[in-house]
């Protein structure tokens, strides 16, 4: 059977490709053992689930831009699974990559759940998972630079941090697809005294010092159980297309920013109620998250050997990046809305407050006082 030319794959092409590359057996088809689920987002994605054999998560690049991102992701998986990096415990296994056909096959995590869904209830903010996440990111940031710069790359110019830190300077491609509410949000950011300047400052202060994930949001952090267990106690990091050499504080700020986003988005913005009253109504109270935030931070700094002034500087930079991440949250909320909402304005105001006073934000919001 000839290997199919894959671009934007369908189920038949997908099964044919997996069979051709001995990733599936003919018996699994005969025994009606497979379930194929379309899970497409930016890429054409499929979950290929087998009850008796291996299961996979398959990504395919449907156009040149997505194919380039998929190639970046595959290179990162290949390097991170190398003996030199030794990060197999924290990322899914790479099963196959075909650059010509733009198809990536990785291990499917059947018992995994991303942190967005897992931590949708206050009782799910466990210190065990937070500690595992701190160790996982520290392992990534300690990863040596490989001998081939192309195998590690840099954070892609228009994705991840660079796009967020230039949110007040939108490109025509964004404006063509932006909702009316998103356009209004951009105008608010541009009119907001100092917010654009703070983003410029972060962008100019970007550091290329370590291997980073580049998009360490909760969607890409998967809670999984240990072998033979049912309780989810470990973190696997997925979606490595933004990975490369960059600023490790961006990853930390992404994690911290998602704690704030979860808190803010659980607050019902009602009429002209004062902010302090609205905070009391949060479905996911920030106080319930702070023990997990502390566990995450403590595990990370311990693994990285950070203390004293170095730990303080890292925390301040991470807090600033968390504030920048809130700008992205505001834009995402606006894109799914027909009008500019109080929630979006609330998020932008907090973002600006954090960027202006990161030490105060670290202590009051994250429960992490800065000790130089």
């Amino acid at each position: 059977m000839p290997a199919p030319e894959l671009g934007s794959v369908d189920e038949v092409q997908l099964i044919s490709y997996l069979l051709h590359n001995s990733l599936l057996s003919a018996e699994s088809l005969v025994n009606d053992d497979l379930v194929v689920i379309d899970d497409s987002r930016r890429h054409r994605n499929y979950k290929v689930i087998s009850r008796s054999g291996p299961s996979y998560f398959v990504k395919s690049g449907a156009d040149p831009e997505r194919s380039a991102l998929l190639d970046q992701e595959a290179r990162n998986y290949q390097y991170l699974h190398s003996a030199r990096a030794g990060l197999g415990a924290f990322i899914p296994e790479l099963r196959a990559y075909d650059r010509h056909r733009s198809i990536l096959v990785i291990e499917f995590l059947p018992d995994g759940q991303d942190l967005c869904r897992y931590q949708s209830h206050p009782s799910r903010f466990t210190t065990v998972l937070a500690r595992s996440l701190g160790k996982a990111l520290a392992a990534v940031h300690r990863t040596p630079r490989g001998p081939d710069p192309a195998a590690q790359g840099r954070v892609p110019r228009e994705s991840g941090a660079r796009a967020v830190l230039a949110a007040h300077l939108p490109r025509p491609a964004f404006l063509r697809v932006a909702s009316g509410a998103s356009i209004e949000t951009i105008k608010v950011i541009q009119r907001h005294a100092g917010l654009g300047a703070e983003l410029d400052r972060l962008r100019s202060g970007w550091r290329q010092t370590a291997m980073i994930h580049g998009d360490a949001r909760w969607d890409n952090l998967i809670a999984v159980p240990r072998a033979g267990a049912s309780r989810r106690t470990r973190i696997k990091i997925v979606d490595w297309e933004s990975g490369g050499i960059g600023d490790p504080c961006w990853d930390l700020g992404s994690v911290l920013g998602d704690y704030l986003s979860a808190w803010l988005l659980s607050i019902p913005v009602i009429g002209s109620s004062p902010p302090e009253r609205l905070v009391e109504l949060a479905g996911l109270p920030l106080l319930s998250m702070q023990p997990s935030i502390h566990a995450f931070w403590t595990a990370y700094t311990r693994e990285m050997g950070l203390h004293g002034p170095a730990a303080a500087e890292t925390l301040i930079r991470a807090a600033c990046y968390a504030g920048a991440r809130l700008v992205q949250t505001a834009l995402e909320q606006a894109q799914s809305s027909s009008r500019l909402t109080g929630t979006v304005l609330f998020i932008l105001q907090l973002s600006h407050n954090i960027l202006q006073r990161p030490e105060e934000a670290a202590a009051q919001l994250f429960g992490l006082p800065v000790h130089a």
Side-chain angles (χ1 to χ4, degrees), residues 195-207:
L195 184 50
E198 293 290 352
L199 294 175
D200 287 336
R201 179 181 61 81
L202 290 178
R203 193 166 72 255
S204 64
W206 181 264
R207 298 175 180 176

Side-chain angles (χ1 to χ4, degrees), residues 145-163:
R145 299 187 183 207
D148 177 10
Q152 298 177 67
R154 293 177 179 269
V155 176
R157 180 173 297 174
E158 300 306 328
S159 66
R162 295 184 185 275

Side-chain angles (χ1 to χ4, degrees), residues 126-157:
T126 69
T127 57
V128 173
L129 276 176
R131 194 172 299 113
S132 175
L133 176 55
K135 292 179 179 179
L137 281 183
V140 172
H141 297 165
R142 292 197 312 269
T143 301
R145 299 187 183 207
D148 177 10
Q152 298 177 67
R154 293 177 179 269
V155 176
R157 180 173 297 174

Side-chain angles (χ1 to χ4, degrees), residues 235-264:
I235 291 292
K236 295 267 190 177
I237 307 174
V238 301
D239 282 349
W240 283 88
E241 64 187 41
S242 294
I245 303 304
D247 194 329
C249 290
W250 176 252
D251 282 348
L252 302 175
S254 297
V255 172
L256 296 175
D258 268 7
Y259 278 106
L260 294 180
S261 294
W263 167 56
L264 291 170

Side-chain angles (χ1 to χ4, degrees), residues 1 6 8 23 67 84 135 152 167 175 182 193-196 201 206 208 237 243 259 280 299 309 312 315 319 322:
M1 177 189 300
L6 292 181
S8 181
L23 295 169
S67 292
R84 183 173 181 183
K135 292 179 179 179
Q152 298 177 67
L175 297 176
S182 292
L195 184 50
R201 179 181 61 81
W206 181 264
Q208 302 276 141
I237 307 174
Y259 278 106
E280 295 173 2
L315 178 55

